[in-house]
């Protein structure tokens, strides 16, 4: 995990926590600057200063095949949306146990619910898929994980935790990356 990616994710986590929106010590980071053949999702317990999981994550088929190259908030684009999310309610859908996500960056991922961008397990995220193709399969925009870790992932990240998805996009901006926001909140670390 690159330090700059962690620092952005951590600043966003602090701002979302200070604003009362995030309620969990769990921070999930997905770095789509890495190819799908590499594990590119980190789930961290910031309270215990512990790495819970480092695993694969799929990107949207509209974003590119092996590498996520383009990103969108537009419905039906099947692209991954960058930015900060909060995990929301759990449900059972066509992909089994799943977790809804609320996009917190207007214009970048604010259509997450409308687009049904959720966390779920998928058969195309597996060692078999990697061995067969050399890269993972693609979702319709969801940060899908391997079926065998899906229950663990949902158990850890549910409950208004922060998810940060980053990629190669120079135009991405977020209010949650403003250090002044944290200072102006008067919030201090526990």
């Amino acid at each position: 995990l690159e330090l700059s990616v962690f620092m952005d994710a951590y600043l966003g986590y602090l701002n979302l926590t200070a604003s009362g929106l995030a309620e969990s010590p769990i921070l999930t980071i997905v770095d789509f600057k890495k190819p799908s053949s590499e594990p590119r999702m980190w789930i961290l317990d910031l309270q215990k200063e512990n790495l819970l999981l480092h695993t694969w994550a799929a990107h949207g088929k509209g974003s590119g095949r092996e590498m996520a190259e383009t990103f969108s908030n537009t419905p039906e684009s099947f692209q991954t949306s960058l930015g900060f999310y909060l995990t929301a309610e759990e449900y059972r859908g066509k992909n089994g146990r799943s977790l809804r996500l609320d996009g917190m960056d207007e214009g970048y991922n604010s259509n997450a619910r409308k687009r049904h961008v959720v966390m779920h397990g998928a058969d195309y995220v597996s060692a078999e898929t990697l061995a067969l193709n050399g890269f993972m399969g693609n979702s319709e925009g969801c940060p899908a994980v391997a079926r065998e870790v899906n229950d663990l992932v949902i158990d850890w990240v549910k409950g208004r935790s922060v998810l940060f998805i980053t990629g190669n996009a120079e135009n991405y901006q977020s209010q949650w990356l403003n250090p002044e926001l944290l200072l102006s909140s008067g919030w201090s670390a526990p």
Side-chain angles (χ1 to χ4, degrees), residues 4-185:
S4 62
V5 171
F6 172 76
M7 293 308 289
D8 281 352
Y10 187 57
L11 177 58
Y13 163 85
L14 291 174
N15 276 324
L16 284 157
T17 301
S19 68
L21 293 167
E23 299 170 0
S24 167
I26 304 299
L27 171 61
T28 304
I29 303 169
V30 182
D31 186 354
F32 284 133
K33 288 180 274 199
K34 299 184 176 301
S36 67
S37 57
E38 290 180 26
R40 52 192 182 165
M41 175 185 280
W42 291 262
I43 301 176
L44 307 162
D45 183 330
L46 297 176
Q47 202 167 31
K48 295 180 180 157
E49 297 180 9
N50 194 8
L51 172 65
L52 299 173
L53 186 68
H54 181 208
T55 191
W56 295 303
H59 60 263
K61 57 187 168 191
S63 289
R65 209 162 154 198
E66 185 177 352
M67 288 293 297
E69 292 164 3
T70 55
F71 304 93
S72 175
N73 192 31
T74 307
E76 307 304 318
S77 68
F78 300 131
Q79 292 184 21
T80 291
S81 299
L82 297 177
F84 289 96
Y85 296 80
L86 288 175
T87 60
E89 69 278 6
E90 204 181 306
Y91 72 99
R92 287 211 170 264
K94 66 178 184 183
N95 293 301
R97 189 175 177 207
S98 304
L99 193 66
R100 294 197 200 284
L101 300 172
D102 289 318
M104 305 307 292
D105 283 316
E106 190 60 47
Y108 292 99
N109 63 13
S110 49
N111 287 329
R113 282 211 179 232
K114 194 184 299 179
R115 295 183 59 209
H116 307 288
V117 173
V118 301
M119 292 189 91
H120 65 80
D123 293 332
Y124 52 79
V125 182
S126 66
E128 294 76 29
T129 303
L130 185 58
L132 196 64
N133 302 327
F135 51 89
M136 293 298 161
N138 299 110
S139 67
E140 294 185 352
C142 302
V145 297
R147 287 217 186 269
E148 60 265 23
V149 299
N150 188 52
D151 283 343
L152 267 181
V153 169
I154 291 176
D155 287 344
W156 281 325
V157 307
K158 66 184 179 181
R160 307 304 283 168
S161 76
V162 175
L163 163 65
F164 178 59
I165 296 179
T166 187
N168 287 318
E170 291 168 17
N171 63 340
Y172 170 72
Q173 296 176 354
S174 174
Q175 66 178 356
W176 308 111
L177 290 174
N178 180 356
E180 299 298 316
L181 186 64
L182 191 61
L183 293 171
S184 69
S185 74

